[in-house]
Amino acid sequence: MDEALLRTLIPTVIGVLVRRGAGFAAAEDAVQDALVEAVRVWPGNPPRNPRAWLVAVAWRRFLDSSRADTSRRRRELRAEDEPVPGPGTTADDTLQLYFLCAHPSLTPASAVALTLRAVGGLTTRQIARAYLVPEPTMAQRISRAKRTVAGVRLDRPGDPATVLRVLYLVFNEGYSGDVDLAAEAIRLTRQLAAGIEHEEVAGLLALMLLHHARRPARTRADGSLVPLAEQDRGLWDTHLIAEGVDVLQSALRRDRLGEYQAQAAVAALHADARTAGETDWPQIVEWYDELVRLTGSPVARLNRAVALGEAEGARAGLAALADLDPALPRYTAAAAYLHERDGDPVTAARLYAEAARSALSAPERDHLVRQAARLNAGLGG
């Protein structure tokens, strides 16, 4: 199979789909699916007209995705119009679909990816970014998951832990990404908590509520980001904070700590501080220690390094950061922040500019550019 030919055809096929009415991002996703199919089919059955074959397959994938998105939106609208269910009722088609997509025949990673794409409404690019893998790798993973369940009866619901992971990623994308899915993730997690007595379901719900409570203060009127230390805490939703803390305390009393409870505990400590200066950073470091012990997550280690820099000084944070992979998302931004706190504005300005080039969103990029410009202005550069 001529991979060079495939690469040259990608812009052309995307252009055809866009002219037919597909949005650019949707066209990119459809073409990625078509490329994965080409890798599977072409070696044994090469088409006479590769361009026409790719256009036809990509267009079918786009139409299938559009129909799925339309159906999902209709379900959401019907759910919004329905009366609020009484205590103990948990019926919801969307939540049921989450469980069915988390099918036992799939690995947890594949189930999460498939559910995010098919039910959560995220693009392949968004899912790949959440998993810290290249987009083509994620496209192949999703395609394999689709083939796996294609001939399987979806009458065996999946593992709740996998569903929790999906809801967590949907919320994160809705909280900081291009599509507002945070409220939907909270709604589904509330329903799951009402139907399952599980400390990690409660932990995830608490985490969502505590983060969502700070959302009104996270951006300015022009859409620019406001760092946590600079946020107007009077804008935080105290009712959501109180609910989140209550849910978290109830979960912690069961003495079966999990990663979502540990993350929620960090969020609760931030919410409890009346000012940034009153934040209990030593205790936050302790909770990150627990989170690293539970998950080994490099992202948790990165956040711990920043918290350690606040609790014990920038040098301690930089030392912890030195043990991590510099390719980790937001590593460079964290290094810039710690170097600035360490009194090295020259290095910090350079790193802020470098971090901006690999930012995960436009608001984050703009924030990092402004940080670099601020320091350079102070240096007279």
Side-chain angles (χ1 to χ4, degrees):
M1 185 179 65
D2 191 341
E3 295 185 4
L5 173 63
L6 276 178
R7 286 195 294 270
T8 61
L9 288 174
I10 290 174
T12 302
V13 178
I14 290 176
V16 171
L17 267 62
V18 170
R19 288 194 294 274
R20 287 186 179 183
F24 186 79
E28 281 188 319
D29 280 346
V31 172
Q32 288 290 346
D33 286 347
L35 290 174
V36 172
E37 187 68 8
V39 171
R40 186 181 70 85
V41 171
W42 285 15
N45 185 23
R48 285 180 294 181
N49 187 334
R51 176 184 177 278
W53 188 97
L54 283 172
V55 168
V57 173
W59 183 247
R60 285 199 299 270
R61 296 299 170 88
F62 166 71
L63 292 177
D64 290 344
S65 177
S66 296
R67 293 188 187 106
D69 289 344
T70 299
S71 298
R72 177 177 57 81
R73 286 193 293 270
R74 286 173 179 168
R75 288 195 304 272
E76 291 170 354
L77 289 173
R78 286 199 301 270
E80 290 176 359
D81 292 338
E82 291 174 356
V84 177
T89 60
T90 59
D92 184 276
D93 287 345
T94 305
L95 189 57
Q96 181 65 16
L97 285 173
Y98 272 62
F99 272 95
L100 292 178
C101 284
H103 196 270
S105 63
L106 295 172
T107 65
S110 295
V112 169
L114 177 62
T115 312
L116 290 171
R117 185 72 184 90
V119 188
L122 272 64
T123 66
T124 303
R125 178 176 299 173
Q126 290 169 323
I127 302 169
R129 188 174 67 195
Y131 265 92
L132 310 180
V133 300
E135 187 175 351
T137 300
M138 183 53 65
Q140 293 174 5
R141 183 180 300 178
I142 293 171
S143 294
R144 284 196 300 268
K146 289 177 181 177
R147 290 196 298 272
T148 299
V149 299
V152 175
R153 288 178 58 85
L154 297 178
D155 55 358
R156 295 170 58 203
D159 179 19
T162 302
V163 176
L164 282 181
R165 182 65 179 168
V166 176
L167 290 168
Y168 173 73
L169 291 174
V170 169
F171 178 81
N172 281 349
E173 189 59 45
Y175 189 65
S176 60
D178 302 322
V179 182
D180 187 356
L181 298 167
E184 173 68 357
I186 291 174
R187 183 180 73 86
L188 293 174
T189 306
R190 283 188 187 279
Q191 292 192 355
L192 188 59
I196 297 179
E197 189 72 15
H198 192 290
E199 57 279 350
E200 275 291 80
V201 177
L204 180 58
L205 178 58
L207 175 63
M208 289 179 175
L209 294 173
L210 290 164
H211 275 296
H212 208 58
R214 301 202 304 259
R215 190 171 188 181
R218 291 186 71 245
T219 56
R220 300 181 180 88
D222 61 1
S224 60
L225 291 180
V226 182
L228 177 60
E230 300 173 16
Q231 288 178 13
D232 179 357
R233 300 183 178 220
L235 297 176
W236 291 1
D237 189 326
T238 55
H239 295 291
L240 282 183
I241 291 174
E243 181 185 2
V245 169
D246 285 345
V247 171
L248 173 62
Q249 289 176 341
S250 176
L252 291 175
R253 280 195 291 270
R254 300 173 195 174
D255 199 24
R256 295 180 61 185
L257 185 64
E259 62 174 302
Y260 301 122
Q261 296 170 73
Q263 289 188 59
V266 171
L269 287 168
H270 283 299
D272 186 54
R274 291 178 299 175
T275 66
E278 296 179 47
T279 305
D280 189 346
W281 287 108
Q283 193 172 352
I284 287 176
V285 172
E286 290 178 5
W287 278 111
Y288 275 125
D289 286 337
E290 291 289 347
L291 190 57
V292 169
R293 180 183 62 81
L294 288 165
T295 68
S297 164
V299 175
R301 292 181 185 275
L302 177 68
N303 290 334
R304 179 190 178 279
V306 175
L308 191 64
E310 299 285 359
E312 299 183 11
R315 294 288 175 89
L318 288 168
L321 203 63
D323 294 332
L324 302 177
D325 183 356
L328 189 66
R330 298 193 172 95
Y331 176 98
T332 308
Y337 174 76
L338 290 170
H339 275 289
E340 181 180 359
R341 284 185 55 83
D342 194 40
D344 185 358
V346 174
T347 300
R350 175 178 58 79
L351 290 173
Y352 276 129
E354 181 182 333
R357 291 192 287 272
S358 58
L360 300 180
S361 68
E364 182 179 345
R365 178 199 62 213
D366 295 342
H367 170 71
L368 293 168
V369 168
R370 282 193 294 270
Q371 295 293 85
R374 172 179 57 81
L375 291 179
N376 283 326
L379 294 167

